[in-house]
Amino acid sequence: MRQPLLAFNDKGIYCAQADVYLDPWRAVPKAIITHGHSDHARWGHGSYITHHQNVPIIQHRLGDIIVTGKNWGETFTINGVTFSFHPAGHIIGSAQVRVEYKGEVWVFTGDYKTEDDGISTPYEVVKCHTFITENTFGLPAFKWLPQAEVMADVNAWWAQNRAEGQTSVIFAYTLGKAQRILKYLDPSIGKICTHGAVENMTNVLRPMITFPETTLITRDTKKEDIAGSIVIAPPSAHGTPWIKRLTPYVTGSASGWMAFRGARKRRAIDKGFVMSDHCDFQGLLESIKATGAEKIICTHGYSDIFSAYLREMGYDARTEHTQYEGDEGEVEAVANPEAQDTEGGAL
């Protein structure tokens, strides 16, 4: 029986011919990394290969690592296997990995979305024979509104809160969603403030993206200086002593899970904004069809349900277990505790 070009094992997605792993979750000698979220880019590998925009991100998160950056579409060959990175549209620097050997082409998406958010390089369709897709929101119930509508809602919410003398606190994970919100906030409404973890990551990305001015909240920040402002903070800040200094405040959360009735209540959030850095159900289906792939491998998310649906449509679809958590898992921890510094965001 012919060995598959990519196989799933206890360390990650393995290409035996090249002896290299894609987004491995255990330490390996050589890793190809799709993007900087900590469930995909973990500490401890011998060397890393990623898109050049992702290099400063994983260096910030993982510390002193051996990493090589590549351009979009730039090919590199390892023992006869040709690899290249193509935009995934998930967050800044996020990539799909195209793998080709003896005319056979596989694509590993990592995490991806098809809506152009204006800060990530837009998703690119890559033709292939086998397509490895995430399924974070692989149910028909998930259908996203256009980003412009969601951000208009965010700005209107902030303006109303300010008029009522309250500070607006919006929770968003520190890499990706926080910058996507920041990019489209209306500074004419008031001051934009940040939690330390958000500020640190945003500063890493400022050389690549133009963002509005932000004010870091520190121990010396006075309540009257931020009254009526909007504060971007990681979900881990909710319910901590840090947030109490912002009183009176109202809370919001930007997440795909806000599409589920009851999610806002369970998270003790005042206002939910349905915004995800992943495809909705229709986006997944359209992406799969566009690749021309006959074989589909479904990973994290609603993989069993989604793969069964694909089989009904005539695809050769199956599921594979991974340790990826997907967007909105709110993975805020840094994999390398020695490199943590202020990423945890005490302030």
Side-chain angles (χ1 to χ4, degrees):
M1 184 175 179
R2 183 179 179 184
Q3 184 180 32
L5 184 53
L6 298 177
F8 293 72
N9 62 32
D10 62 350
K11 293 182 179 179
I13 302 174
Y14 183 53
C15 179
Q17 178 64 30
D19 193 20
V20 65
Y21 280 85
L22 281 59
D23 287 0
W25 45 83
R26 292 185 181 175
V28 300
K30 182 177 293 185
I32 294 175
I33 302 297
T34 61
H35 65 286
H37 283 149
S38 57
D39 57 332
H40 289 259
R42 306 195 184 211
W43 183 79
H45 306 315
S47 65
Y48 298 72
I49 305 173
T50 192
H51 186 262
H52 72 83
Q53 286 184 323
N54 193 39
V55 170
I57 295 171
I58 63 175
Q59 285 177 327
H60 171 73
R61 292 197 138 186
L62 304 179
D64 186 15
I65 58 174
I66 299 172
V67 57
T68 301
K70 301 290 184 179
N71 295 318
W72 298 127
E74 177 184 353
T75 59
F76 56 101
T77 302
I78 305 174
N79 197 28
V81 182
T82 302
F83 299 88
S84 56
F85 291 111
H86 302 266
H90 174 56
I91 61 170
I92 298 170
S94 62
Q96 305 171 79
V97 183
R98 182 183 185 276
V99 186
E100 180 175 2
Y101 183 64
K102 293 185 177 179
E104 182 180 1
V105 179
W106 289 48
V107 168
F108 170 50
T109 61
D111 291 330
Y112 68 110
K113 74 171 182 292
T114 54
E115 182 182 26
D116 182 0
D117 61 17
I119 59 174
S120 310
T121 305
Y123 174 83
E124 174 187 316
V125 174
V126 183
K127 297 290 187 178
C128 58
H129 302 105
T130 302
F131 189 62
I132 303 175
T133 179
E134 50 121 330
N135 307 270
T136 306
F137 294 106
L139 292 179
F142 295 110
K143 181 176 176 58
W144 312 144
L145 291 173
Q147 174 177 276
E149 292 184 29
V150 179
M151 285 308 305
D153 194 14
V154 171
N155 281 313
W157 171 73
W158 175 21
Q160 179 180 347
N161 295 338
R162 181 177 174 83
E164 295 173 355
Q166 298 189 91
T167 296
S168 304
V169 182
I170 188 163
F171 297 112
Y173 60 87
T174 59
L175 172 59
K177 188 71 64 61
Q179 292 77 33
R180 187 176 172 190
I181 291 170
L182 172 60
K183 177 70 176 179
Y184 298 103
L185 287 175
D186 182 359
S188 70
I189 298 172
K191 185 184 295 186
I192 302 172
C193 300
T194 53
H195 181 281
V198 172
E199 183 74 8
N200 291 341
M201 182 54 69
T202 301
N203 285 338
V204 173
L205 301 175
R206 282 191 185 275
M208 295 180 266
I209 306 290
T210 300
F211 294 111
E213 180 182 352
T214 55
T215 299
L216 172 65
I217 297 177
T218 70
R219 291 183 176 87
D220 298 325
T221 301
K222 294 181 175 57
K223 185 184 298 186
E224 55 269 24
D225 292 337
I226 57 175
S229 65
I230 190 167
V231 179
I232 307 176
S236 57
H238 194 19
T240 66
W242 178 88
I243 201 173
K244 293 179 181 178
R245 73 184 66 195
L246 308 180
T247 307
Y249 63 85
V250 291
T251 58
S253 177
S255 168
W257 298 115
M258 292 296 113
F260 268 170
R261 187 174 298 175
R264 177 172 57 84
K265 183 177 180 181
R266 287 195 300 273
R267 297 187 183 195
I269 299 294
D270 298 314
K271 175 74 172 179
F273 301 98
V274 182
M275 177 186 280
S276 175
D277 285 337
H278 293 249
C279 292
D280 61 9
F281 181 76
Q282 195 61 36
L284 289 170
L285 293 179
E286 291 172 356
S287 299
I288 290 168
K289 181 179 180 181
T291 67
E294 296 180 355
K295 295 184 178 181
I296 312 298
I297 300 176
C298 300
T299 60
H300 52 299
Y302 292 97
S303 54
D304 290 336
I305 297 173
F306 191 74
S307 63
Y309 183 81
L310 290 177
R311 287 193 293 273
E312 291 179 1
M313 295 177 66
Y315 287 100
D316 178 359
R318 71 177 197 270
T319 63
E320 287 284 357
H321 174 73
T322 69
Q323 291 188 16
Y324 310 133
E325 301 192 22
D327 175 34
E328 342 280 332
E330 311 298 9
V331 182
E332 297 292 341
V334 175
N336 177 12
E338 296 178 358
Q340 188 153 356
D341 55 52
T342 54
E343 182 63 20
L347 287 172

